[in-house]
Each structure stands twice: as C-alpha cells, then as structure tokens.
Coordinates of all heavy atoms in Angstrom, one line a residue:
M1 N 57.8 -25.1 131.9 CA 58.9 -25.3 130.9 C 59.3 -26.7 130.9 O 59.5 -27.4 131.9 CB 60.1 -24.4 131.3 CG 61.0 -24.2 130.2 SD 62.3 -23.1 130.7 CE 63.7 -24.2 130.6
T2 N 59.4 -27.3 129.7 CA 59.9 -28.7 129.5 C 61.4 -28.8 129.6 O 62.1 -27.9 129.2 CB 59.4 -29.3 128.2 OG1 59.8 -28.4 127.2 CG2 57.9 -29.5 128.2
A3 N 61.8 -29.9 130.2 CA 63.3 -30.1 130.3 C 63.9 -30.4 129.0 O 63.3 -31.0 128.1 CB 63.5 -31.3 131.3
P4 N 65.2 -30.0 128.8 CA 65.9 -30.3 127.5 C 66.0 -31.8 127.3 O 66.1 -32.5 128.3 CB 67.2 -29.6 127.7 CG 67.1 -28.7 128.9 CD 66.0 -29.2 129.7
T5 N 65.9 -32.2 126.1 CA 66.0 -33.7 125.8 C 67.5 -34.1 125.6 O 67.8 -35.3 125.6 CB 65.2 -34.1 124.6 OG1 65.6 -33.3 123.5 CG2 63.7 -33.9 124.8
T6 N 68.4 -33.2 125.4 CA 69.8 -33.5 125.3 C 70.6 -32.5 126.1 O 70.2 -31.4 126.4 CB 70.3 -33.4 123.9 OG1 70.1 -32.1 123.4 CG2 69.6 -34.4 123.0
T7 N 71.8 -33.0 126.5 CA 72.7 -32.1 127.2 C 73.5 -31.2 126.2 O 73.5 -31.5 125.0 CB 73.8 -32.9 128.0 OG1 74.6 -33.6 127.1 CG2 73.1 -33.9 128.9
T8 N 74.1 -30.1 126.8 CA 74.9 -29.3 125.9 C 76.0 -30.1 125.3 O 76.4 -29.9 124.1 CB 75.5 -28.1 126.8 OG1 74.4 -27.4 127.4 CG2 76.3 -27.2 126.0
E9 N 76.6 -31.0 126.1 CA 77.7 -31.8 125.5 C 77.2 -32.6 124.3 O 77.9 -32.7 123.3 CB 78.3 -32.7 126.6 CG 79.6 -33.3 126.2 CD 80.1 -34.3 127.3 OE1 79.6 -34.3 128.4 OE2 81.1 -35.0 127.0
Q10 N 76.0 -33.3 124.5 CA 75.5 -34.1 123.4 C 75.2 -33.2 122.1 O 75.5 -33.5 121.0 CB 74.2 -34.7 123.8 CG 74.4 -35.9 124.7 CD 73.1 -36.4 125.3 OE1 72.2 -35.7 125.6 NE2 73.0 -37.8 125.4
A11 N 74.7 -32.0 122.4 CA 74.4 -31.1 121.3 C 75.7 -30.7 120.6 O 75.8 -30.6 119.4 CB 73.7 -29.8 121.8
N12 N 76.7 -30.4 121.4 CA 78.0 -30.0 120.8 C 78.6 -31.1 119.9 O 79.1 -30.8 118.9 CB 79.0 -29.5 121.9 CG 78.6 -28.2 122.4 OD1 77.9 -27.4 121.8 ND2 79.2 -27.9 123.6
D13 N 78.5 -32.3 120.4 CA 79.0 -33.5 119.6 C 78.2 -33.6 118.3 O 78.8 -33.8 117.3 CB 78.8 -34.8 120.4 CG 79.8 -34.9 121.6 OD1 80.7 -34.1 121.6 OD2 79.7 -35.8 122.4
E14 N 76.9 -33.5 118.4 CA 76.1 -33.6 117.2 C 76.4 -32.5 116.2 O 76.5 -32.7 115.0 CB 74.6 -33.5 117.6 CG 73.7 -33.7 116.4 CD 72.2 -33.6 116.7 OE1 71.9 -33.4 117.9 OE2 71.4 -33.6 115.8
I15 N 76.6 -31.3 116.7 CA 76.9 -30.1 115.9 C 78.3 -30.3 115.2 O 78.4 -30.1 114.0 CB 76.9 -28.8 116.7 CG1 75.4 -28.4 117.0 CG2 77.5 -27.7 115.9 CD1 75.3 -27.4 118.1
A16 N 79.2 -30.8 116.0 CA 80.6 -31.1 115.4 C 80.5 -32.1 114.3 O 81.1 -31.9 113.2 CB 81.5 -31.5 116.5
A17 N 79.7 -33.2 114.5 CA 79.6 -34.2 113.5 C 78.9 -33.7 112.2 O 79.3 -33.9 111.1 CB 78.8 -35.4 114.0
L18 N 77.8 -32.9 112.4 CA 77.1 -32.3 111.3 C 78.0 -31.3 110.5 O 78.0 -31.3 109.3 CB 75.9 -31.6 111.8 CG 74.7 -32.5 112.2 CD1 73.7 -31.7 113.0 CD2 74.1 -33.3 111.1
R19 N 78.9 -30.6 111.3 CA 79.8 -29.6 110.6 C 80.8 -30.3 109.8 O 81.2 -29.8 108.7 CB 80.4 -28.7 111.6 CG 79.5 -27.6 112.1 CD 80.1 -26.6 113.0 NE 79.3 -25.5 113.4 CZ 79.5 -24.7 114.3 NH1 80.6 -24.8 115.1 NH2 78.7 -23.7 114.6
E20 N 81.2 -31.5 110.2 CA 82.2 -32.3 109.4 C 81.5 -32.6 108.1 O 82.2 -32.6 107.0 CB 82.6 -33.6 110.1 CG 83.8 -33.4 111.0 CD 84.2 -34.7 111.6 OE1 84.1 -35.8 110.9 OE2 84.6 -34.7 112.8
R21 N 80.2 -33.0 108.1 CA 79.6 -33.3 106.9 C 79.4 -32.1 106.0 O 79.5 -32.2 104.8 CB 78.2 -34.0 107.2 CG 78.4 -35.4 107.8 CD 77.1 -36.0 108.2 NE 76.2 -36.2 107.2 CZ 74.9 -36.5 107.3 NH1 74.4 -36.7 108.6 NH2 74.1 -36.6 106.3
I22 N 79.1 -31.0 106.6 CA 79.0 -29.7 105.9 C 80.3 -29.4 105.2 O 80.3 -29.0 104.0 CB 78.5 -28.6 106.8 CG1 77.0 -28.7 107.1 CG2 78.8 -27.2 106.1 CD1 76.5 -27.7 108.2
N23 N 81.4 -29.5 105.9 CA 82.7 -29.3 105.3 C 83.0 -30.2 104.1 O 83.5 -29.7 103.1 CB 83.8 -29.4 106.4 CG 83.8 -28.3 107.4 OD1 83.2 -27.3 107.2 ND2 84.4 -28.5 108.5
A24 N 82.6 -31.4 104.3 CA 82.8 -32.4 103.1 C 81.9 -32.0 102.0 O 82.4 -32.0 100.8 CB 82.5 -33.8 103.6
A25 N 80.7 -31.6 102.2 CA 79.8 -31.1 101.2 C 80.4 -29.9 100.5 O 80.3 -29.7 99.2 CB 78.4 -30.8 101.7
D26 N 80.9 -28.9 101.3 CA 81.5 -27.7 100.7 C 82.7 -28.1 99.8 O 82.9 -27.5 98.7 CB 81.9 -26.8 101.8 CG 80.7 -26.1 102.5 OD1 79.6 -26.2 101.9 OD2 81.0 -25.4 103.5
D27 N 83.5 -29.0 100.3 CA 84.7 -29.4 99.5 C 84.2 -30.0 98.1 O 84.8 -29.7 97.1 CB 85.5 -30.5 100.2 CG 86.3 -29.9 101.4 OD1 86.4 -28.7 101.5 OD2 86.7 -30.7 102.2
E28 N 83.1 -30.8 98.2 CA 82.6 -31.4 96.9 C 82.1 -30.3 96.0 O 82.3 -30.3 94.8 CB 81.5 -32.4 97.3 CG 81.0 -33.2 96.1 CD 81.9 -34.2 95.5 OE1 83.1 -34.3 95.9 OE2 81.5 -34.9 94.6
L29 N 81.3 -29.3 96.6 CA 80.8 -28.2 95.8 C 81.9 -27.5 95.1 O 81.8 -27.1 93.9 CB 80.0 -27.3 96.7 CG 78.6 -27.6 97.0 CD1 78.1 -26.7 98.1 CD2 77.7 -27.6 95.8
I30 N 83.0 -27.2 95.8 CA 84.1 -26.5 95.2 C 84.8 -27.3 94.1 O 85.1 -26.8 93.1 CB 85.2 -26.1 96.3 CG1 84.6 -25.1 97.3 CG2 86.5 -25.7 95.7 CD1 85.3 -24.9 98.6
R31 N 84.9 -28.6 94.4 CA 85.5 -29.5 93.3 C 84.6 -29.5 92.1 O 85.1 -29.4 90.9 CB 85.7 -30.9 93.9 CG 86.5 -31.8 92.9 CD 86.4 -33.3 93.3 NE 85.0 -33.8 93.1 CZ 84.4 -34.1 92.0 NH1 85.1 -33.8 90.8 NH2 83.2 -34.6 91.9
I32 N 83.3 -29.6 92.3 CA 82.4 -29.7 91.1 C 82.4 -28.4 90.4 O 82.3 -28.3 89.2 CB 81.0 -30.1 91.6 CG1 81.0 -31.6 91.9 CG2 80.0 -29.8 90.5 CD1 79.8 -32.1 92.5
W33 N 82.4 -27.3 91.2 CA 82.4 -25.9 90.6 C 83.6 -25.8 89.6 O 83.5 -25.3 88.5 CB 82.5 -24.9 91.7 CG 82.6 -23.5 91.2 CD1 83.7 -22.8 90.8 CD2 81.5 -22.5 91.2 NE1 83.4 -21.5 90.5 CE2 82.0 -21.3 90.7 CE3 80.1 -22.6 91.4 CZ2 81.2 -20.2 90.5 CZ3 79.3 -21.5 91.2 CH2 79.9 -20.3 90.8
R34 N 84.8 -26.2 90.1 CA 86.0 -26.1 89.3 C 85.9 -27.0 88.1 O 86.3 -26.6 87.0 CB 87.2 -26.4 90.1 CG 87.6 -25.3 91.1 CD 88.8 -25.6 92.0 NE 89.2 -24.5 92.8 CZ 89.7 -24.6 94.0 NH1 89.9 -25.8 94.5 NH2 90.1 -23.5 94.6
E35 N 85.4 -28.2 88.3 CA 85.3 -29.2 87.2 C 84.4 -28.6 86.1 O 84.7 -28.7 84.9 CB 84.8 -30.5 87.7 CG 84.6 -31.6 86.6 CD 84.1 -32.9 87.1 OE1 84.9 -33.5 87.9 OE2 83.0 -33.3 86.8
R36 N 83.3 -28.1 86.5 CA 82.3 -27.6 85.5 C 82.9 -26.4 84.7 O 82.7 -26.3 83.5 CB 81.0 -27.2 86.2 CG 79.9 -26.9 85.2 CD 78.8 -26.1 85.7 NE 77.7 -26.1 84.7 CZ 77.7 -25.3 83.7 NH1 78.7 -24.6 83.4 NH2 76.7 -25.4 82.8
A37 N 83.6 -25.5 85.4 CA 84.2 -24.4 84.8 C 85.2 -24.8 83.7 O 85.2 -24.2 82.6 CB 84.8 -23.4 85.8
E38 N 86.0 -25.8 84.1 CA 87.0 -26.3 83.1 C 86.3 -27.0 81.9 O 86.7 -26.7 80.8 CB 87.9 -27.3 83.8 CG 88.9 -28.0 82.9 CD 89.8 -27.0 82.1 OE1 89.9 -25.8 82.5 OE2 90.4 -27.5 81.1
L39 N 85.2 -27.7 82.1 CA 84.5 -28.4 81.0 C 83.9 -27.3 80.1 O 84.0 -27.4 78.9 CB 83.4 -29.3 81.5 CG 83.9 -30.6 82.3 CD1 82.8 -31.3 83.0 CD2 84.6 -31.5 81.3
S40 N 83.3 -26.3 80.7 CA 82.7 -25.2 79.9 C 83.8 -24.5 79.1 O 83.6 -24.2 77.9 CB 82.0 -24.2 80.9 OG 81.6 -23.1 80.2
R41 N 85.0 -24.2 79.7 CA 86.0 -23.6 79.0 C 86.5 -24.4 77.8 O 86.7 -23.9 76.7 CB 87.2 -23.4 79.9 CG 88.3 -22.5 79.4 CD 89.6 -22.6 80.2 NE 90.2 -23.9 80.1 CZ 90.8 -24.4 79.1 NH1 90.9 -23.7 78.0 NH2 91.3 -25.7 79.0
Q42 N 86.5 -25.8 78.0 CA 86.9 -26.7 76.9 C 85.9 -26.6 75.7 O 86.3 -26.7 74.6 CB 87.1 -28.1 77.4 CG 88.4 -28.3 78.2 CD 88.5 -29.7 78.8 OE1 88.0 -30.6 78.2 NE2 89.3 -29.8 79.9
V43 N 84.6 -26.6 76.1 CA 83.6 -26.6 75.0 C 83.7 -25.3 74.3 O 83.7 -25.3 73.0 CB 82.2 -26.7 75.6 CG1 81.1 -26.4 74.5 CG2 81.9 -28.0 76.2
G44 N 83.9 -24.2 75.0 CA 84.1 -22.9 74.3 C 85.3 -22.9 73.4 O 85.2 -22.4 72.2
A45 N 86.4 -23.4 73.9 CA 87.6 -23.4 73.1 C 87.4 -24.3 71.8 O 87.8 -23.9 70.7 CB 88.8 -23.9 73.9
A46 N 86.8 -25.4 72.0 CA 86.5 -26.3 70.8 C 85.6 -25.7 69.8 O 85.9 -25.7 68.6 CB 85.9 -27.7 71.3
R47 N 84.6 -25.0 70.3 CA 83.7 -24.4 69.3 C 84.4 -23.2 68.6 O 84.2 -23.1 67.4 CB 82.4 -23.9 70.1 CG 81.3 -23.4 69.1 CD 80.0 -23.2 69.7 NE 80.1 -22.6 71.0 CZ 79.6 -23.1 72.2 NH1 79.0 -24.3 72.1 NH2 79.7 -22.5 73.3
M48 N 85.1 -22.4 69.3 CA 85.8 -21.3 68.7 C 86.9 -21.7 67.7 O 87.1 -21.1 66.7 CB 86.3 -20.3 69.7 CG 85.2 -19.5 70.4 SD 85.8 -18.0 71.2 CE 86.7 -18.7 72.6
A49 N 87.6 -22.8 68.0 CA 88.6 -23.4 67.1 C 88.0 -23.8 65.8 O 88.7 -23.8 64.8 CB 89.3 -24.6 67.8
A50 N 86.7 -24.1 65.8 CA 86.0 -24.5 64.6 C 85.2 -23.3 64.0 O 84.4 -23.5 63.1 CB 85.0 -25.7 64.9
G51 N 85.6 -22.1 64.4 CA 85.0 -20.9 63.8 C 83.6 -20.6 64.4 O 82.9 -19.7 63.9
G52 N 83.2 -21.2 65.5 CA 81.9 -21.0 66.1 C 82.0 -19.8 67.2 O 83.0 -19.2 67.3
T53 N 80.9 -19.6 67.8 CA 80.8 -18.5 68.8 C 81.2 -19.0 70.2 O 81.2 -20.2 70.5 CB 79.3 -18.0 68.9 OG1 78.5 -19.2 69.3 CG2 78.8 -17.5 67.6
R54 N 81.6 -18.1 71.0 CA 82.0 -18.4 72.4 C 80.8 -18.8 73.2 O 80.8 -19.7 74.0 CB 82.7 -17.2 73.0 CG 83.3 -17.4 74.4 CD 84.2 -16.3 74.8 NE 83.5 -15.0 75.0 CZ 83.0 -14.6 76.1 NH1 83.2 -15.3 77.2 NH2 82.4 -13.4 76.2
L55 N 79.7 -18.1 72.9 CA 78.4 -18.3 73.7 C 77.3 -19.0 72.9 O 77.3 -18.8 71.6 CB 77.9 -17.0 74.2 CG 78.9 -16.2 75.0 CD1 78.2 -14.9 75.5 CD2 79.4 -16.9 76.2
V56 N 76.5 -19.7 73.5 CA 75.2 -20.2 72.9 C 74.1 -19.9 73.9 O 73.9 -20.6 74.9 CB 75.3 -21.7 72.7 CG1 74.0 -22.2 72.1 CG2 76.4 -22.1 71.7
L57 N 73.5 -18.7 73.6 CA 72.6 -18.2 74.7 C 71.4 -19.1 74.9 O 70.8 -19.2 76.0 CB 72.1 -16.8 74.3 CG 73.3 -15.8 74.3 CD1 72.8 -14.4 74.0 CD2 73.9 -15.7 75.7
S58 N 70.9 -19.8 73.9 CA 69.8 -20.7 74.0 C 70.1 -21.8 75.0 O 69.3 -22.2 75.9 CB 69.3 -21.3 72.7 OG 70.4 -22.0 72.1
R59 N 71.3 -22.3 74.9 CA 71.8 -23.4 75.9 C 71.9 -22.8 77.3 O 71.5 -23.4 78.3 CB 73.1 -23.9 75.4 CG 73.9 -24.7 76.4 CD 73.5 -26.1 76.4 NE 74.3 -26.9 77.4 CZ 74.0 -27.9 78.1 NH1 72.7 -28.4 77.9 NH2 74.8 -28.6 78.8
E60 N 72.4 -21.6 77.4 CA 72.5 -20.9 78.7 C 71.2 -20.7 79.3 O 71.0 -20.9 80.5 CB 73.3 -19.6 78.6 CG 74.7 -19.8 78.2 CD 75.7 -18.7 78.6 OE1 75.2 -17.8 79.4 OE2 76.8 -18.7 78.2
Q61 N 70.2 -20.3 78.5 CA 68.8 -20.1 79.0 C 68.2 -21.4 79.5 O 67.6 -21.4 80.6 CB 67.9 -19.5 77.9 CG 66.6 -19.0 78.4 CD 66.7 -17.9 79.4 OE1 67.3 -16.9 79.2 NE2 66.1 -18.2 80.6
A62 N 68.5 -22.5 78.8 CA 67.9 -23.8 79.2 C 68.5 -24.1 80.6 O 67.9 -24.7 81.5 CB 68.2 -24.8 78.2
I63 N 69.8 -23.8 80.8 CA 70.5 -24.1 82.1 C 69.9 -23.3 83.2 O 69.6 -23.8 84.3 CB 72.0 -24.0 81.9 CG1 72.5 -25.1 81.0 CG2 72.7 -24.0 83.3 CD1 74.0 -24.9 80.6
V64 N 69.7 -22.0 82.9 CA 69.1 -21.1 84.0 C 67.7 -21.6 84.3 O 67.3 -21.7 85.5 CB 69.1 -19.6 83.5 CG1 68.3 -18.8 84.4 CG2 70.5 -19.1 83.3
D65 N 67.0 -22.0 83.3 CA 65.6 -22.5 83.5 C 65.6 -23.7 84.4 O 64.8 -23.9 85.3 CB 64.9 -22.8 82.2 CG 64.6 -21.5 81.4 OD1 64.6 -20.4 82.0 OD2 64.3 -21.6 80.2
K66 N 66.6 -24.6 84.1 CA 66.6 -25.9 84.9 C 66.9 -25.5 86.4 O 66.3 -26.1 87.3 CB 67.7 -26.8 84.3 CG 67.9 -28.1 85.2 CD 68.7 -29.1 84.5 CE 70.2 -28.8 84.5 NZ 71.0 -29.9 83.9
F67 N 67.9 -24.7 86.6 CA 68.3 -24.3 88.0 C 67.1 -23.6 88.7 O 66.8 -23.9 89.9 CB 69.5 -23.4 88.0 CG 70.8 -24.1 88.0 CD1 71.2 -24.9 86.9 CD2 71.7 -24.1 89.1 CE1 72.4 -25.6 86.9 CE2 72.9 -24.7 89.1 CZ 73.3 -25.5 88.0
R68 N 66.3 -22.8 87.9 CA 65.2 -22.1 88.5 C 64.1 -23.1 88.9 O 63.5 -23.1 89.9 CB 64.6 -21.1 87.6 CG 63.4 -20.3 88.2 CD 62.8 -19.3 87.3 NE 63.7 -18.2 87.0 CZ 64.2 -18.0 85.8 NH1 64.0 -18.8 84.8 NH2 65.0 -16.9 85.6
R69 N 63.9 -24.1 88.0 CA 62.9 -25.1 88.2 C 63.2 -25.9 89.5 O 62.4 -26.3 90.3 CB 62.9 -26.1 87.0 CG 61.5 -26.4 86.5 CD 61.4 -27.2 85.2 NE 62.6 -28.0 84.8 CZ 63.4 -27.6 83.8 NH1 63.2 -26.5 83.1 NH2 64.4 -28.4 83.5
E70 N 64.5 -26.3 89.6 CA 64.9 -27.2 90.7 C 65.1 -26.4 92.0 O 64.8 -27.0 93.1 CB 66.3 -27.8 90.3 CG 66.2 -28.8 89.2 CD 65.5 -30.1 89.5 OE1 65.4 -30.5 90.7 OE2 64.9 -30.6 88.6
L71 N 65.5 -25.2 92.0 CA 66.0 -24.5 93.2 C 65.3 -23.1 93.4 O 65.6 -22.4 94.4 CB 67.5 -24.2 93.1 CG 68.4 -25.5 93.0 CD1 69.8 -25.1 92.7 CD2 68.3 -26.4 94.2
G72 N 64.4 -22.7 92.5 CA 63.7 -21.5 92.7 C 64.5 -20.3 92.2 O 65.5 -20.4 91.5
T73 N 64.1 -19.1 92.7 CA 64.7 -17.8 92.2 C 66.2 -17.8 92.5 O 67.1 -17.4 91.7 CB 64.1 -16.6 92.9 OG1 62.7 -16.7 92.8 CG2 64.5 -15.3 92.3
D74 N 66.6 -18.3 93.7 CA 68.0 -18.4 94.1 C 68.8 -19.3 93.1 O 70.0 -19.0 92.8 CB 68.2 -18.9 95.5 CG 67.9 -17.8 96.5 OD1 67.6 -16.7 96.2 OD2 67.9 -18.2 97.7
G75 N 68.1 -20.3 92.6 CA 68.7 -21.2 91.7 C 69.1 -20.5 90.4 O 70.2 -20.8 89.8
A76 N 68.2 -19.7 89.9 CA 68.5 -18.9 88.7 C 69.7 -18.0 88.9 O 70.6 -17.9 88.0 CB 67.3 -18.1 88.3
Q77 N 69.8 -17.4 90.1 CA 71.0 -16.6 90.4 C 72.3 -17.4 90.4 O 73.3 -17.0 89.9 CB 70.8 -15.9 91.7 CG 69.7 -14.9 91.8 CD 70.0 -13.7 90.9 OE1 71.1 -13.1 91.0 NE2 69.0 -13.3 90.1
L78 N 72.1 -18.6 91.0 CA 73.3 -19.5 91.1 C 73.7 -19.9 89.7 O 74.9 -20.0 89.4 CB 72.9 -20.8 91.9 CG 73.9 -21.8 92.0 CD1 75.2 -21.3 92.7 CD2 73.4 -23.0 92.8
A79 N 72.7 -20.2 88.8 CA 73.1 -20.6 87.4 C 73.9 -19.5 86.7 O 74.8 -19.8 86.0 CB 71.8 -20.9 86.6
M80 N 73.5 -18.2 87.0 CA 74.3 -17.1 86.4 C 75.7 -17.1 86.8 O 76.6 -16.9 86.0 CB 73.6 -15.8 86.7 CG 72.2 -15.6 86.4 SD 71.9 -15.7 84.6 CE 72.3 -14.0 84.2
L81 N 75.9 -17.4 88.1 CA 77.3 -17.4 88.6 C 78.1 -18.6 88.1 O 79.2 -18.6 87.7 CB 77.3 -17.5 90.1 CG 76.8 -16.2 90.9 CD1 76.7 -16.5 92.4 CD2 77.7 -15.1 90.6
V82 N 77.4 -19.8 88.0 CA 78.0 -21.0 87.4 C 78.4 -20.8 86.0 O 79.5 -21.1 85.6 CB 76.9 -22.2 87.5 CG1 77.3 -23.3 86.6 CG2 76.8 -22.7 89.0
L83 N 77.5 -20.2 85.2 CA 77.9 -19.9 83.8 C 79.0 -18.9 83.7 O 79.9 -19.1 82.9 CB 76.6 -19.4 83.1 CG 75.5 -20.4 82.9 CD1 74.2 -19.7 82.5 CD2 75.9 -21.4 81.8
R84 N 79.0 -17.9 84.5 CA 80.1 -16.9 84.5 C 81.5 -17.6 84.8 O 82.5 -17.2 84.3 CB 79.8 -15.7 85.4 CG 80.7 -14.6 85.1 CD 80.3 -13.3 85.9 NE 80.6 -13.5 87.3 CZ 80.2 -12.6 88.2 NH1 79.4 -11.6 87.9 NH2 80.5 -12.8 89.5
A85 N 81.4 -18.5 85.7 CA 82.7 -19.2 86.1 C 83.3 -19.9 85.0 O 84.6 -20.0 84.9 CB 82.4 -20.2 87.3
G86 N 82.5 -20.4 84.0 CA 83.1 -21.1 82.9 C 83.5 -20.2 81.7 O 84.6 -20.3 81.2
R87 N 82.6 -19.3 81.3 CA 82.8 -18.5 80.1 C 83.3 -17.1 80.4 O 83.5 -16.3 79.4 CB 81.6 -18.6 79.2 CG 80.3 -18.3 79.8 CD 79.8 -16.9 79.5 NE 78.4 -16.8 79.8 CZ 78.0 -16.1 80.9 NH1 78.8 -15.6 81.7 NH2 76.7 -16.0 81.1
G88 N 83.4 -16.7 81.7 CA 83.7 -15.3 82.0 C 82.5 -14.4 81.9 O 81.4 -14.9 81.5
P89 N 82.7 -13.1 82.3 CA 81.6 -12.2 82.3 C 81.1 -11.9 80.9 O 81.9 -11.9 80.0 CB 82.1 -11.0 83.0 CG 83.6 -11.1 83.0 CD 83.9 -12.5 82.8
L90 N 79.8 -11.5 80.8 CA 79.2 -11.2 79.5 C 79.7 -9.8 79.1 O 79.9 -8.9 80.0 CB 77.7 -11.2 79.5 CG 77.1 -12.6 79.6 CD1 75.6 -12.5 79.7 CD2 77.5 -13.5 78.4
Ligands
ISJ101 C1 79.9 -24.9 77.5 C2 79.2 -24.3 76.5 O1 79.5 -23.0 76.0 C3 79.0 -21.9 76.7 C4 79.0 -22.1 78.2 C5 77.9 -22.8 78.7 C6 78.0 -23.5 80.1 O2 78.9 -23.2 80.8 O3 77.1 -24.3 80.3 C7 76.7 -22.9 77.9 C8 76.6 -22.3 76.7 C9 77.7 -21.5 76.1 O4 77.4 -20.2 76.2 C10 78.2 -25.1 75.7 O5 77.7 -24.6 74.6 O6 77.8 -26.1 76.2

C-alpha cells in the first residue's frame, strides 16, 4: 500500500478552500438565475403590452437546443427550469 501524499489536516484545508469557491459559485448562480427570470418577465410584459403573445416557442426551442448542445441531456432539463422561472409554468 502506498503512503498518503497529504495529511488529513492538509486535505481538510483544501476541502474548506474549495467549498468556499463552491459557495461563491452557488451565490453567483442564484444571482444570475434571478436576473434572467426578471429579464424574461420584462420581455414578456413588453410584448404583451404591444398585443403580442406571452410565449415564443421557437425562441424557447432554440434556448433548449443551446443548453442541450453545451451541457447534454441534463442541460435540456435545466433549460426547461430556467424558462419556467421567467415565464411561469406552461
Ligand atoms: C423572454 C422572452 O419571452 C419568453 C421567455 C423566454 C425566455 O425566458 O428566454 C423565451 C421566449 C418566450 O417564450 C423572449 O421572447 O425572449
């Protein structure tokens, strides 16, 4: 059996530092999630105020396709949640 290359204390320090970065990334994701939902709501309101539709399915499909291309099947699922956050459930 090979000896460990780091001590438990070193590993704990590294994990604590990485978790700080994860927490910062999560905060950013939450901020961006809220920002996008608000922008989407504003687009919907502007379009409906001009007599247009609340939804544009071709645009939503393009967004789902982009997320799938970039992130795979989970990305497509994520896009559905992202879209729902802005315009509400279908
Ligand atoms: C924001 C818009 O309105 C709706 C919401 C979308 C979105 O959140 O990306 C996309 C298409 C529309 O169904 C838009 O048309 O861009």
Side-chain angles (χ1 to χ4, degrees):
M1 196 177 115
T2 51
T5 53
T6 58
T7 65
T8 301
E9 192 183 349
Q10 284 171 325
N12 285 342
D13 286 350
E14 184 184 354
I15 288 165
L18 289 167
R19 282 182 174 169
E20 272 186 36
R21 291 173 61 193
I22 286 174
N23 288 343
D26 287 349
D27 289 347
E28 183 72 355
L29 280 170
I30 290 166
R31 190 193 66 72
I32 288 174
W33 179 278
R34 288 179 171 148
E35 178 180 293
R36 192 197 188 284
E38 174 58 18
L39 292 169
S40 174
R41 193 195 63 72
Q42 287 179 24
V43 171
R47 189 166 44 237
M48 285 199 291
T53 58
R54 185 167 66 94
L55 305 182
V56 177
L57 293 181
S58 58
R59 166 82 176 151
E60 294 203 8
Q61 189 59 55
I63 290 167
V64 171
D65 290 347
K66 177 168 74 175
F67 273 67
R68 184 184 292 108
R69 224 173 25 251
E70 293 291 332
L71 302 172
T73 310
D74 286 353
Q77 294 293 311
L78 177 61
M80 303 296 280
L81 293 173
V82 162
L83 289 165
R84 193 173 70 189
R87 47 102 166 108
L90 290 176

